[in-house]
Amino acid sequence: MDTLYILINCDLGAETQIISELAKIPEIMEVRGTYGVYDIFVKVQAPTSGVLEEIVTNKIRRIPRVRSTVTLTPIMSQGGR
Amino acid sequence: MDTLYILINCDLGAETQIISELAKIPEIMEVRGTYGVYDIFVKVQAPTSGVLEEIVTNKIRRIPRVRSTVTLTPIMSQGGR
Amino acid sequence: MDTLYILINCDLGAETQIISELAKIPEIMEVRGTYGVYDIFVKVQAPTSGVLEEIVTNKIRRIPRVRSTVTLTPIMSQGGR
Amino acid sequence: MDTLYILINCDLGAETQIISELAKIPEIMEVRGTYGVYDIFVKVQAPTSGVLEEIVTNKIRRIPRVRSTVTLTPIMSQGGR
Amino acid sequence: MDTLYILINCDLGAETQIISELAKIPEIMEVRGTYGVYDIFVKVQAPTSGVLEEIVTNKIRRIPRVRSTVTLTPIMSQGGR
Amino acid sequence: MDTLYILINCDLGAETQIISELAKIPEIMEVRGTYGVYDIFVKVQAPTSGVLEEIVTNKIRRIPRVRSTVTLTPIMSQGGR
Amino acid sequence: MDTLYILINCDLGAETQIISELAKIPEIMEVRGTYGVYDIFVKVQAPTSGVLEEIVTNKIRRIPRVRSTVTLTPIMSQGGR
Amino acid sequence: MDTLYILINCDLGAETQIISELAKIPEIMEVRGTYGVYDIFVKVQAPTSGVLEEIVTNKIRRIPRVRSTVTLTPIMSQGGR
C-alpha cells in the first residue's frame, strides 16, 4: 500500500464540513481538525501511487473551501512503523 | 487517549538513526521519514495531555540531531476518524 | 484555566473591525493589531480545553474576514509565568 | 508603556532552561513554552521603545541556545485590550 | 524620521496597478515589484511612528488587491546606514 | 539564454487547466504539477531578462486561478549544469 | 523515469562547493545556485522511485553543509511537459 | 545600476557586528537591523548583475554568522521609484 500524509488549510469556519466530506472517502484512514499551523490532518492509503494521485487531484483538492495542501510522501526505506 | 501529530526537521543524513530512536518510544504509534517540507512524521498517543507533554519535552525533543518540531493538536469536537 | 495564543491573518483593511469583534468575546484576555508577519495577536483563556475548542472553532474562526490562524498551546510543565 | 510579543525558536531540549533565564528579566510580563510552530512565547513591556530595543538586542537574543525570534509590534491605534 | 520596510503579496496581475497607487503616497520613499517570495517592496518614512501606523493601516493595507504584508521595523541602535 | 525557476500555488482543482495553459507558452521549457508545498513547477527560458520579466508579469501571473509565485533566479557564476 | 525537484538550503559560502559535489552525481540532470528563498535547485531522475529514494537519502542529504531540503514530487497524470 | 534587496537571518547576538561588516561594503546602500521575521535588511547596488552576483556570493554570504538570505530582485518594468 502507498501512503501520503496531507496537511490542509481551509476557509475558516468550514473545518467541520470539510472533515465530514473527507470522512466519506474510503481511502482516507485518518482525518482530524488540528490546532497549530495547519487546519486539518489527513492520512490516505491506496494500492498504487496512481490511485493516490487520482484521489488527491480529483477528490481531496476539489472539495469546496479547501485552500491549500502540503503533502508528505513517506520514504519507506528509512524504516519506522 | 490524547494524540499529537509532530512534524520534525533534523540534521540531514541523521533521519534513519532518529527514526530508529523514535521507534523505541512505545507511545509513538507511527513514525516515517518523508519527502516534502518536513523530514519525519510522528504520531504519538498517551492517556493524558500531561504524559504527552512529558514525552515531547523530555524524549522526542532531546534526541540528538532533531532540529525543530511543529506540533498539531487534534480538535476532537470537529469530528473525523 | 487553559490558555491559547492565537496569531491571526485577516483581509487587509479589516483589522480594526475584527479586533472590535474579538474584544466582545469575554474569554479573550488580550487582543492587539500587530506589525510583523501576523496581523492580530489574541490570548484566550477558558476553564477547560473543551470550552477553548468551542471558542476557537465556533467564535474566532467564524468572524468574517479572518483568513488564517496559527495556534500556540502553552506547555505549563516547562515553567514560566 | 511599549509592548512587544516575541516568538522564539530554540535548540531543542533547552526550552526549560531558556524559559527560566527569561523569567529573570523583570520586563518580561509573560513567558511560556508552547506547542505549535514556535517553542517559546514572550511578552515584554518597557517604558520606551529604546529600552525595549535594548532588552531584545542585549538580553533576549543573547541567551545561549535561542536560535531565532519573530517579533510582533502592537499597533495601539487599531484598538483592542 | 521613523522608517518601515514592508513586503507585500498581492493578487497576481495587479502588481503594476498597486505599485502605481503606492507611488502616489508621498511618505513612500521606494516601491518596486520584485521576483522572489514577495511581490512588492516598499520603504515608508514619516516623522512619527503614529503617522507611520496611520499610513500602513489606512492607506497601504486598504489598497484593493493587496493581500498580505510583512513589516520590518528598523532597530536604529544596532547601527548601519 | 536567461532562466527562471517558478514555484506556483493555485486554486485547488485548477492545476490541470493551469498546466495546460502554461504548456502553450513556448518559453516554458518544463511544467509539472507537484506534491509538496508548491502545486506547479515551471522552468522558463528567454534570450534576455527583459523578455523573461515580460513573460512572468504579463503571461504567467495573469493566468486565472494562479494565486502566488516564488521565483528562483539562477546564479550562473556558481557553476552547475 | 521517475523525477524529483529538490530545493536546498545550505551553509552560506558553501554553495559553489556543494554544487560541484552534486554535479558529480550522474542522476542529477540539473543543478544551479539560485537567488530567492532557496540556495540551490536540483532536478534528479532515476529509473525507479526506490533508486531516487536511495540517491536523496544516501547521497544528496549526506553532502556536508547541506542544511535542509524541500522536495517536490511530479504528478504526471496532471499533464505538462 | 542593478539592485537587490536582501533579507538576512543571523546568529542571534551577532547583529551589530554583522551590520558593521556589511557597512564596509561600498555597494551596500542601506543596511539596518530589523524586528520582525528577518534580522537584517540590506539594499545592494552595482553596475551589472555579474558584479551583484559576486558581492552576494563572495562577500555578503561569507560573513561569519550570517545564516540565511532571502533575495528580492526588482522588476523595473513594473514601474515604481
Side-chain angles (χ1 to χ4, degrees):
Chain A
M1 291 292 274
D2 266 32
T3 301
L4 290 177
Y5 304 110
I6 305 179
L7 311 167
I8 293 177
N9 282 302
C10 65
D11 284 0
L12 298 194
E15 302 88 347
T16 308
Q17 186 187 330
I18 292 171
I19 289 166
S20 136
E21 282 299 307
L22 289 164
K24 291 180 194 155
I25 303 172
E27 290 86 355
I28 290 186
M29 298 293 109
E30 194 165 342
V31 50
R32 289 287 177 204
T34 54
Y35 289 134
V37 72
Y38 304 106
D39 300 324
I40 301 173
F41 168 84
V42 167
K43 177 182 174 180
V44 55
Q45 260 181 342
T48 69
S49 65
V51 176
L52 271 185
E53 270 188 34
E54 209 271 328
I55 292 166
V56 175
T57 304
N58 293 328
K59 292 191 181 168
I60 296 175
R61 291 169 67 111
R62 300 229 167 151
I63 292 176
R65 308 185 71 185
V66 169
R67 277 206 308 222
S68 65
T69 60
V70 169
T71 303
L72 310 180
T73 310
I75 310 174
M76 301 313 283
S77 60
Q78 292 185 348
R81 67 164 162 258
Chain B
M1 291 295 273
D2 266 33
T3 301
L4 290 176
Y5 304 109
I6 304 179
L7 310 167
I8 292 177
N9 282 300
C10 66
D11 284 359
L12 298 194
E15 302 88 347
T16 308
Q17 186 186 329
I18 291 171
I19 288 165
S20 136
E21 282 300 307
L22 288 165
K24 290 180 195 155
I25 302 174
E27 290 86 356
I28 290 185
M29 299 293 109
E30 195 164 342
V31 50
R32 288 287 177 204
T34 55
Y35 288 135
V37 73
Y38 303 105
D39 300 324
I40 300 172
F41 167 83
V42 167
K43 177 182 174 181
V44 55
Q45 260 181 342
T48 69
S49 66
V51 176
L52 271 184
E53 270 188 33
E54 208 272 329
I55 292 165
V56 175
T57 306
N58 292 328
K59 292 191 182 169
I60 296 175
R61 291 170 66 110
R62 300 227 168 153
I63 292 175
R65 308 184 71 185
V66 168
R67 279 206 307 223
S68 64
T69 60
V70 169
T71 302
L72 309 179
T73 311
I75 310 176
M76 303 311 285
S77 58
Q78 291 184 348
R81 67 161 161 262
Chain C
M1 291 293 273
D2 265 33
T3 300
L4 290 177
Y5 304 110
I6 304 179
L7 311 166
I8 292 177
N9 282 301
C10 64
D11 283 0
L12 297 194
E15 303 88 346
T16 308
Q17 186 186 330
I18 292 171
I19 289 166
S20 136
E21 282 300 306
L22 289 164
K24 291 181 195 155
I25 303 174
E27 289 86 356
I28 289 186
M29 298 293 109
E30 196 165 340
V31 49
R32 290 285 177 206
T34 55
Y35 288 135
V37 72
Y38 303 105
D39 300 324
I40 301 173
F41 167 84
V42 167
K43 177 182 174 181
V44 54
Q45 259 181 343
T48 68
S49 66
V51 176
L52 271 183
E53 270 188 32
E54 207 273 327
I55 293 166
V56 174
T57 305
N58 292 328
K59 293 191 182 169
I60 296 174
R61 291 170 68 110
R62 300 229 168 151
I63 292 176
R65 308 184 71 184
V66 168
R67 278 207 306 223
S68 65
T69 59
V70 169
T71 303
L72 309 180
T73 311
I75 311 176
M76 302 312 285
S77 59
Q78 291 184 348
R81 68 164 161 259
Chain D
M1 292 292 275
D2 266 32
T3 301
L4 290 176
Y5 304 109
I6 305 178
L7 311 166
I8 293 177
N9 282 300
C10 66
D11 284 0
L12 297 193
E15 303 88 347
T16 308
Q17 187 187 328
I18 291 171
I19 289 166
S20 136
E21 283 299 307
L22 289 165
K24 291 180 195 155
I25 302 174
E27 290 86 354
I28 290 185
M29 298 293 108
E30 195 164 341
V31 50
R32 287 289 176 203
T34 55
Y35 288 133
V37 73
Y38 303 106
D39 300 325
I40 301 173
F41 167 83
V42 167
K43 178 182 174 181
V44 56
Q45 261 182 340
T48 68
S49 65
V51 176
L52 271 184
E53 269 188 35
E54 209 272 329
I55 292 166
V56 174
T57 305
N58 293 328
K59 292 190 181 169
I60 296 174
R61 290 169 67 110
R62 300 228 167 152
I63 293 176
R65 309 184 71 185
V66 168
R67 278 207 307 222
S68 64
T69 60
V70 169
T71 302
L72 309 180
T73 310
I75 310 175
M76 301 311 284
S77 59
Q78 292 184 348
R81 67 164 160 259
Chain E
M1 292 293 272
D2 266 33
T3 301
L4 290 177
Y5 304 110
I6 305 180
L7 311 166
I8 292 177
N9 282 302
C10 66
D11 283 0
L12 297 193
E15 303 87 347
T16 308
Q17 185 186 329
I18 291 171
I19 289 165
S20 137
E21 283 298 307
L22 288 165
K24 291 180 196 156
I25 302 174
E27 290 86 355
I28 290 185
M29 298 294 108
E30 195 164 341
V31 50
R32 288 287 177 206
T34 55
Y35 288 135
V37 72
Y38 304 105
D39 300 325
I40 302 173
F41 168 82
V42 167
K43 178 183 173 180
V44 56
Q45 259 180 342
T48 68
S49 66
V51 176
L52 272 184
E53 269 187 33
E54 207 273 327
I55 292 165
V56 175
T57 305
N58 292 328
K59 293 189 182 169
I60 297 174
R61 291 170 67 110
R62 299 227 169 152
I63 293 175
R65 307 184 72 184
V66 168
R67 277 207 306 222
S68 63
T69 61
V70 169
T71 303
L72 308 180
T73 310
I75 310 176
M76 302 312 284
S77 59
Q78 291 185 349
R81 68 163 161 261
Chain F
M1 292 294 272
D2 266 34
T3 301
L4 290 177
Y5 304 110
I6 304 180
L7 311 167
I8 292 178
N9 282 302
C10 66
D11 283 0
L12 297 194
E15 303 88 347
T16 308
Q17 186 186 329
I18 292 171
I19 288 166
S20 137
E21 283 299 308
L22 289 164
K24 291 180 194 155
I25 302 173
E27 290 86 355
I28 290 185
M29 298 293 109
E30 194 165 343
V31 49
R32 288 286 177 206
T34 54
Y35 288 134
V37 72
Y38 303 106
D39 299 325
I40 300 172
F41 168 83
V42 167
K43 178 183 174 180
V44 55
Q45 258 180 343
T48 68
S49 65
V51 176
L52 271 184
E53 269 187 33
E54 208 272 327
I55 293 165
V56 174
T57 306
N58 292 328
K59 292 190 181 168
I60 296 174
R61 290 170 67 110
R62 299 229 168 151
I63 292 175
R65 308 185 72 185
V66 168
R67 278 205 307 220
S68 64
T69 61
V70 168
T71 303
L72 308 180
T73 311
I75 310 174
M76 302 312 284
S77 59
Q78 290 184 349
R81 68 164 161 258
Chain G
M1 293 293 273
D2 265 33
T3 301
L4 290 177
Y5 304 110
I6 304 179
L7 311 167
I8 292 178
N9 282 300
C10 66
D11 283 0
L12 298 193
E15 302 89 346
T16 308
Q17 186 186 329
I18 291 171
I19 289 165
S20 137
E21 283 298 308
L22 289 165
K24 291 180 196 157
I25 302 174
E27 290 87 354
I28 290 185
M29 297 295 108
E30 194 165 342
V31 50
R32 288 287 177 204
T34 54
Y35 288 134
V37 72
Y38 303 105
D39 300 325
I40 301 172
F41 168 83
V42 166
K43 178 183 173 180
V44 56
Q45 260 181 341
T48 67
S49 65
V51 177
L52 271 184
E53 270 187 31
E54 207 273 327
I55 292 165
V56 175
T57 305
N58 292 328
K59 292 189 182 170
I60 298 174
R61 291 170 66 110
R62 299 226 169 154
I63 292 176
R65 307 184 72 186
V66 169
R67 278 208 305 225
S68 63
T69 60
V70 169
T71 303
L72 309 180
T73 310
I75 310 176
M76 302 313 283
S77 59
Q78 292 185 348
R81 66 161 162 264
Chain H
M1 293 292 273
D2 267 33
T3 301
L4 290 177
Y5 304 110
I6 304 179
L7 310 167
I8 292 177
N9 283 301
C10 66
D11 283 0
L12 296 194
E15 302 89 346
T16 308
Q17 186 186 327
I18 291 171
I19 288 166
S20 136
E21 283 299 307
L22 289 165
K24 291 181 195 155
I25 302 173
E27 290 86 356
I28 290 185
M29 298 294 108
E30 194 165 343
V31 50
R32 289 286 177 205
T34 54
Y35 288 134
V37 72
Y38 303 106
D39 299 325
I40 300 173
F41 168 82
V42 166
K43 177 182 173 181
V44 56
Q45 260 181 342
T48 67
S49 65
V51 177
L52 270 184
E53 268 187 33
E54 208 272 328
I55 292 165
V56 174
T57 305
N58 293 328
K59 292 190 182 169
I60 296 174
R61 290 169 68 110
R62 299 227 168 154
I63 292 176
R65 308 184 72 185
V66 168
R67 278 206 307 222
S68 64
T69 61
V70 169
T71 302
L72 309 180
T73 310
I75 309 174
M76 301 311 284
S77 59
Q78 292 184 348
R81 68 165 161 259

